[in-house]
Amino acid sequence: MAAPAGLWAEVRALLPGAEQGLTLALSGDVEDCVRLLLQRARGLLCGAAGRPCAATAAQLRRLGDVLRDYSWEKLNAGPWREVGKAWRQVYAYGCLFGALAEVAAGRPLAPAVRLCDMGLLMGASVLDNVLARLVRVLQAHLPRAERRGPAAGTAEVRPWGGPAAGTAERVRTDHPSPVPVVQLEDALPHLQCPSLEHFRDNYLIPQKPVVLEGIMDHWPCMKKWSVDYFCQVAGCRTVPVEVGTQYTDEEWSQKLMTVSDFINQYIVNKNSMGYLAQHQLFDQIPELKEDISIPDYCCLGEGEEDDITINAWFGPEGTISPLHQDPQQNFLAQVFGRKYIRLYSPQDSENLYPHESQILHNTSQVDVEDPDLVKFPNFRKAAFQSCILMPGQVLFIPVKYWHYVKSLDISFSVSFWWS
């Protein structure tokens, strides 16, 4: 069955019209045979007048498979930082040609959406980030039920925070765990919309953590975002999920799954513990990025706005980020749910017993809420500050400040790392 003419025209309009315009430029060297495969796929795509016929679509699909399989081996041959950008671009082209072949052949669109997501996650941008533009078109043409993914559970409740969290959710309703007590002498200070100068002089320069209030009240996410909203906007999208309570656990792992499957398995039914910790979510799903704003205080940093890393943290009650430190300043913005957060100064690093291994050198060996003081006796010397971060609050975590984070409810946070 051929693709509907309107959909194919909409998809084809995302690409250059002529073969010479589809440059296939690569940022590095790859084998000549790979370049020939790319050129052959380009020729099939651009050589057909109108929609490719079934035979041409099948050839394009096979070429996409070969390009993805070959480059996938290169992507997984060693440490990710050593993977050449050219091979990530080849993988993105393989995903692009595969997705286009699915559309041209009139196949169901969900596999094409997944191919786009795989290219966005594992590949590098090609043709002015065409995969991000393509997936938005495809998602709009999916049947409504497929856009959301499988239906979620049965119990209707709201995340902590009431109306600010959005519409009613279908999530589990078991008893929440006890909320840690924040003693007055340990409580972090709170500020209501401080001026740039006041924040700079009293918190940024002296590197003191503080909870900021009122600075994200105008963000659209505060009225729109909810578990149900994510199913509507991104239910069919494939994302990486961290499986396990915390990344230091032996059983911790990562896997790819759709947002709706993640919500059903880890949020609604909670068959096990899983967390969506995504450094690319807002690039992968721009609709979500439009609902947040970079805090104005980031302009006090040394880098440009493009240098700011925006991360998404979405998971059930009980997920934990063990005591660790990050190499940049951090604004942690709480959209819905509550988090218990404990902070320790970098001056106390020796009392926090960082792991000796290079890969975990920024993480403490100590279980903050149940420390083994026989094994880690100096931990009792470390002074800390803490807070229950509520929806609409933003925590400033200075660079290298140790922080422990525990979700007290179904929670969605956005962090901004800046220099």
Side-chain angles (χ1 to χ4, degrees):
M1 181 177 65
L7 172 57
W8 179 254
E10 196 174 347
V11 165
R12 190 63 184 85
L14 300 173
L15 299 166
E19 185 170 343
Q20 58 268 29
L22 214 160
T23 57
L24 300 176
L26 301 176
S27 302
D29 293 327
V30 298
E31 288 96 324
D32 288 342
C33 62
V34 173
R35 293 184 182 275
L36 288 173
L37 290 173
L38 289 167
Q39 291 165 8
R40 185 178 172 193
R42 176 181 62 185
L44 288 170
L45 181 64
C46 298
R51 288 174 292 172
C53 66
T56 301
Q59 292 180 61
L60 188 62
R61 187 184 190 200
R62 285 195 294 272
L63 286 170
D65 290 345
V66 172
L67 289 166
R68 290 195 308 279
D69 289 345
Y70 193 81
S71 56
W72 184 260
E73 292 185 13
K74 300 291 184 179
L75 300 186
N76 291 277
W80 181 253
R81 64 180 177 274
E82 296 177 8
V83 176
K85 184 178 180 181
W87 285 113
R88 294 176 58 211
Q89 290 174 316
V90 171
Y91 184 79
Y93 277 119
C95 292
L96 172 64
F97 293 134
L100 292 173
E102 295 290 310
V103 177
R107 297 176 180 272
L109 295 180
V113 169
R114 177 177 171 80
L115 281 170
C116 290
D117 281 327
M118 291 300 297
L120 290 167
L121 290 168
M122 302 298 294
S125 177
V126 295
L127 301 174
D128 193 25
N129 205 17
V130 67
L131 287 173
R133 293 181 285 123
L134 174 59
V135 76
R136 294 189 78 166
V137 170
L138 299 180
Q139 192 173 351
H141 283 268
L142 280 171
R144 185 175 297 275
E146 290 185 41
R147 263 180 267 170
R148 284 185 57 94
T154 57
E156 210 171 78
V157 300
R158 292 179 186 269
W160 186 274
T167 57
E169 321 303 337
R170 299 181 177 273
V171 294
R172 63 190 193 87
T173 55
D174 54 2
H175 297 292
S177 56
V179 177
V181 176
V182 176
Q183 302 292 344
L184 185 61
E185 61 270 21
D186 302 326
L188 283 162
H190 288 234
L191 277 181
Q192 182 76 25
C193 295
S195 67
L196 293 175
E197 293 78 8
H198 183 82
F199 172 78
R200 180 195 62 203
D201 295 342
N202 293 278
Y203 296 96
L204 179 59
I205 292 175
Q207 290 288 275
K208 293 182 178 180
V210 62
V211 175
L212 304 176
E213 298 187 353
I215 69 172
M216 57 183 290
D217 292 350
H218 64 287
W219 294 6
C221 65
M222 296 306 298
K223 292 182 178 179
K224 293 170 62 177
W225 285 12
S226 65
V227 176
D228 189 60
Y229 179 73
F230 291 130
C231 279
Q232 293 177 35
V233 172
C236 64
R237 305 298 297 277
T238 297
V239 294
V241 170
E242 298 182 359
V243 180
T245 302
Q246 55 188 356
Y247 64 78
T248 51
D249 291 347
E250 287 187 7
E251 67 274 14
W252 182 89
S253 63
Q254 292 178 302
K255 65 180 180 179
L256 293 169
M257 60 196 313
T258 64
V259 169
S260 62
D261 284 344
F262 164 74
I263 288 172
N264 278 307
Q265 184 169 345
Y266 298 110
I267 302 294
V268 176
N269 298 312
K270 203 176 181 185
N271 297 327
S272 56
M273 190 66 73
Y275 204 64
L276 197 164
Q278 240 281 45
H279 306 304
Q280 296 171 272
L281 185 70
F282 297 110
D283 292 328
Q284 189 182 352
I285 309 174
E287 300 96 305
L288 296 178
K289 192 172 186 179
E290 294 165 3
D291 291 339
I292 62 174
S293 301
I294 294 175
D296 291 341
Y297 306 99
C298 291
C299 75
L300 300 170
E302 298 173 351
E304 301 294 329
E305 183 173 308
D306 289 344
D307 298 325
I308 297 170
T309 302
I310 307 176
N311 307 308
W313 311 95
F314 179 31
E317 168 207 331
T319 49
I320 289 171
S321 291
L323 189 62
H324 68 284
Q325 56 181 190
D326 296 319
Q328 290 183 289
Q329 319 278 7
N330 184 5
F331 283 120
L332 181 63
Q334 193 67 17
V335 180
F336 61 74
R338 302 165 299 165
K339 283 185 170 175
Y340 172 69
I341 303 175
R342 193 184 287 192
L343 296 163
Y344 293 83
S345 167
Q347 298 175 358
D348 265 319
S349 292
E350 289 188 6
N351 296 325
L352 303 180
Y353 299 90
H355 282 271
E356 295 180 2
S357 68
Q358 182 63 27
I359 195 170
L360 287 176
H361 72 280
N362 70 328
T363 303
S364 170
Q365 301 177 62
V366 182
D367 181 343
V368 164
E369 294 193 75
D370 186 23
D372 183 345
L373 296 178
V374 174
K375 189 175 181 180
F376 308 114
N378 290 337
F379 182 69
R380 58 167 56 93
K381 299 179 183 178
F384 67 85
Q385 294 174 283
S386 61
C387 71
I388 305 292
L389 196 66
M390 303 292 287
Q393 296 179 342
V394 179
L395 172 62
F396 170 58
I397 304 175
V399 59
K400 294 291 187 181
Y401 239 82
W402 294 87
H403 48 290
Y404 166 88
V405 184
K406 180 179 182 179
S407 296
L408 303 178
D409 313 289
I410 297 169
S411 167
F412 200 112
S413 310
V414 181
S415 65
F416 303 85
W417 289 348
W418 55 290
S419 298

